[in-house]
Amino acid sequence: MPMSLPRHVLLCCALLLAGCASTARPAPTLYEELGGQAGLEALVETLLSHVADDPRINQMFARVNIVMLNQHLNEKLCQVSDGPCDYQGKAMGPAHAHLPIGQGEFNALVEDLMWAMDQQKIPRTTQNRLIKRLAPMQGEIVNQ
């Protein structure tokens, strides 16, 4: 014959289970999936090193203040990925208006970014989430 538990024991168990459910950790942000600030800094460093070796676009970066570019890229990626940063640079249109950027150059930079994310062992799903958030900027950057 099965033994029944007193009501107060059942109520206590139900409250404990409800408490466990409410303390579940929320899903990580894209920023966290990218490795936080350290992950973004490594990604940007890898990206900029690769861009410097990419003959399709490296000439566009020849006169750029690389320290400032590094800072702005870190801020932008941090902001776009829901990190705790505020982007302090120019809007994308004005920042790129003086450069003849066509679809080919834009695609080359995206390819370089994907290569850098692969080098940093960022999972493809996380890469896709970041690219999806960056994609709307294409219209502001491509001007040829």
Side-chain angles (χ1 to χ4, degrees):
M1 176 169 181
M3 184 167 93
S4 63
L5 294 172
R7 288 185 121 194
H8 70 280
V9 172
L10 291 173
L11 179 59
C12 190
C13 288
L15 289 173
L16 284 173
L17 289 173
C20 290
S22 66
T23 60
R25 188 171 193 276
T29 63
L30 179 55
Y31 175 77
E32 292 167 334
E33 290 180 15
L34 290 166
Q37 195 59 45
L40 287 178
E41 288 172 5
L43 174 60
V44 169
E45 185 175 324
T46 302
L47 170 63
L48 291 178
S49 293
H50 194 59
V51 165
D53 293 333
D54 187 341
R56 300 174 297 173
I57 57 174
N58 62 4
Q59 71 281 358
M60 296 187 135
F61 295 89
R63 295 182 180 198
V64 171
N65 178 336
I66 206 71
V67 173
M68 186 72 71
L69 177 60
N70 185 308
Q71 176 184 339
H72 287 315
L73 280 173
N74 273 293
E75 288 173 359
K76 189 61 156 175
L77 292 178
C78 179
Q79 181 184 40
V80 166
S81 65
D82 300 326
C85 309
D86 288 321
Y87 174 67
Q88 299 297 316
K90 294 179 182 177
M92 292 295 107
H96 297 90
H98 67 287
L99 298 168
I101 301 174
Q103 193 62 52
E105 290 83 12
F106 183 84
N107 290 347
L109 185 61
V110 172
E111 290 169 15
D112 289 349
L113 175 59
M114 293 178 72
W115 180 89
M117 288 191 286
D118 284 342
Q119 296 304 301
Q120 294 298 314
K121 304 209 181 327
I122 295 172
R124 190 65 62 170
T125 54
T126 302
Q127 290 184 31
N128 290 340
R129 287 181 63 206
L130 180 60
I131 295 296
K132 182 178 179 182
R133 291 189 185 190
L134 294 173
M137 294 178 210
Q138 177 183 358
E140 298 175 65
I141 296 170
V142 175
N143 55 34
Q144 296 292 305

